Amino acid sequence: MREVPLTGGPVELRGALDAEVTANGVMPRRLPAWTREQYQNPSVDGVTVMPSGVRLVFRTDARELEFEVLTFTGQLDGDPHPRPTGMLELLVDGALAGRRRAPLGNVLRMAGPGAEQRLVPGEPGVVRFAGLPVGMKTVELWLPPQTPTELVALRADGDVLPPLPDGRRRWVHHGSSISHCIEADGPTGTWPVVAAALGGVEVINLSQAGNALLDPYVARTIRDMPADLISLKVGINIVGLAAFRLRSFGPAVHGFLDTIRDGHPDTPLLLMSPVSCPALEETPGPTTVGPDGRIIALGDPAQVPAGALSLAVVRAELEKIVSVRQARDPHLHHLDGRDLLGPDEVDDLADGVHPTAAAYRRMGKRFAAHAFAEDGPFR
């Protein structure tokens, strides 16, 4: 087994916009380094290093590969077990060739959600994939979407070469946890990855669990990066955190779109509203979690006429914004999120807001059927 450099060599890190050099190796980050000083909440940094859609790509004639990684996962005080670390998946020439549970490494202990974290140090772990096909092949190692993962080492028993140019269109997507897909059954089971595979495109998933709040640094990131297709899924975090009133929400959406259009004036751009979420359909946030583990809305529906936001209000406003802008922006499109997961499927929301792994795969197929159809926005 020969050591392969993780940076400055034949291996490409795709799906990440930054690779932070650490004491152990390399930590992929899904937003560029310059954005870090603008994070108002530490949770943004935490979800940025959760590598949803991030993968190592290279060509090799090796029959055996060895990856050494150091993971970070959480554990609540009183819970005897850390949260599951998720799966590493190996694709060979586009086909799934193996799955391995990511090894347990560092554990972040906390008294409860949002509480101060205490690090329980761990050690890097090794995963191996053996019996790979003979001959030169393209290999992709996909990292778990819910677990920050430092890349420590890559070893192979054969030659490792750079990947061939991808050639596919690049689709950039930004959304909430429902696009980040922490609950997916594996990294290729997130709905954006499922949809990208069906549409024959390469996806860059900039979704931020709990933090899809029209942050200007995200808009500037999308503006400045190569993109052939762009989609934005807006609303659930804004309502759940009561982050805007109607008066400020519309201009914020317009401003986000304006910034992206500064760099991509003619790129197909699909603006999506939230999927179904019974607790917030007619009731504003903020939200909390009830004793049964399901989301509860704390807002007053009587405040909606005064400008409080529910999902129903957000959907209507997003549809109106697209309609108004389409006269001068014919490449802007709209999709009602309920077309991906509707009110008759809320039993697939285990906590009242996040879809199950099976529902994520269904959402990916539905998105692809809409967006990549012959008359679709990403045709």
Side-chain angles (χ1 to χ4, degrees):
M1 301 290 283
R2 291 175 289 182
E3 196 93 8
V4 180
L6 292 169
T7 59
V11 178
E12 284 190 15
L13 183 63
R14 295 181 181 170
L17 302 186
D18 183 39
E20 178 186 356
V21 178
T22 66
N24 298 295
V26 176
M27 175 69 86
R29 304 183 63 90
R30 292 184 299 117
L31 288 176
W34 66 263
T35 64
R36 297 182 72 176
E37 66 183 30
Q38 299 187 25
Y39 301 163
Q40 190 276 335
N41 190 296
S43 68
V44 181
D45 193 70
V47 297
T48 296
V49 294
M50 290 181 180
S52 187
V54 177
R55 60 273 190 197
L56 298 173
V57 186
F58 52 91
R59 287 183 299 144
T60 184
D61 59 3
R63 302 294 309 283
E64 183 174 351
L65 297 170
E66 186 175 275
F67 298 95
E68 188 172 353
V69 298
L70 178 62
T71 59
F72 292 74
T73 192
Q75 182 177 5
L76 295 177
D77 291 344
D79 189 334
H81 303 293
R83 293 172 184 157
T85 53
M87 303 298 293
L88 295 160
E89 293 183 338
L90 191 78
L91 272 62
V92 174
D93 291 332
L96 184 64
R99 306 178 83 226
R100 302 285 187 274
R101 176 73 60 182
L104 183 67
N106 293 323
V107 176
L108 301 172
R109 295 290 303 271
M110 63 197 85
E116 184 177 353
Q117 297 177 338
R118 310 183 306 279
L119 176 64
V120 180
E123 296 295 328
V126 174
V127 294
R128 294 180 181 86
F129 296 91
L132 302 182
V134 175
M136 192 61 65
K137 49 205 166 279
T138 297
V139 169
E140 303 170 52
L141 177 74
W142 289 71
L143 304 180
Q146 66 275 71
T147 306
T149 304
E150 287 190 40
L151 307 172
V152 179
L154 166 63
R155 305 177 188 95
D157 67 350
D159 292 330
V160 175
L161 304 176
L164 298 173
D166 191 284
R168 296 174 296 173
R169 292 183 296 168
R170 172 183 272 200
W171 166 32
V172 176
H173 177 70
H174 173 61
S176 68
S177 59
I178 299 171
S179 296
H180 188 144
C181 303
I182 288 173
E183 300 78 15
D185 55 12
T188 61
T190 69
W191 78 254
V193 173
V194 171
L198 292 171
V201 301
E202 178 192 17
V203 66
I204 308 296
N205 190 356
L206 303 184
S207 299
Q208 304 277 293
N211 287 282
L213 296 168
L214 301 174
D215 290 310
Y217 54 79
V218 176
R220 292 196 296 275
T221 295
I222 298 172
R223 176 196 65 190
D224 296 339
M225 64 187 295
D228 301 297
L229 310 164
I230 300 170
S231 58
L232 310 170
K233 196 165 179 302
V234 175
I236 188 69
N237 292 154
I238 287 167
V239 175
L241 291 173
F244 289 94
R245 304 282 286 188
L246 183 60
R247 166 61 181 83
S248 55
F249 174 65
V253 174
H254 280 291
F256 202 89
L257 294 172
D258 286 344
T259 298
I260 292 173
R261 281 308 193 209
D262 285 343
H264 300 282
D266 302 316
T267 301
L269 197 165
L270 179 58
L271 183 62
M272 306 165 59
S273 64
V275 303
S276 291
C277 176
L280 292 169
E281 291 296 331
E282 303 295 340
T283 304
T287 61
T288 189
V289 178
D292 61 353
R294 297 179 67 82
I295 190 174
I296 298 172
L298 302 177
D300 182 0
Q303 290 299 309
V304 169
L309 295 179
S310 66
L311 293 187
V313 172
V314 162
R315 289 195 194 97
E317 187 69 11
L318 292 176
E319 187 173 8
K320 184 175 75 173
I321 287 170
V322 172
S323 177
V324 167
R325 295 177 67 101
Q326 277 179 328
R328 56 183 173 83
D329 188 352
H331 302 288
L332 179 64
H333 308 272
H334 174 261
L335 175 63
D336 189 318
R338 293 171 297 184
D339 290 344
L340 300 185
L341 191 146
D344 59 337
E345 299 171 289
V346 295
D347 288 344
D348 285 325
L349 305 174
D351 59 358
V353 62
H354 295 105
T356 63
Y360 279 134
R361 290 185 178 274
R362 194 164 65 243
M363 288 171 60
K365 293 175 183 177
R366 289 175 177 173
F367 181 91
H370 170 81
F372 299 107
E374 193 169 317
D375 59 348
F378 290 174
R379 59 189 179 275

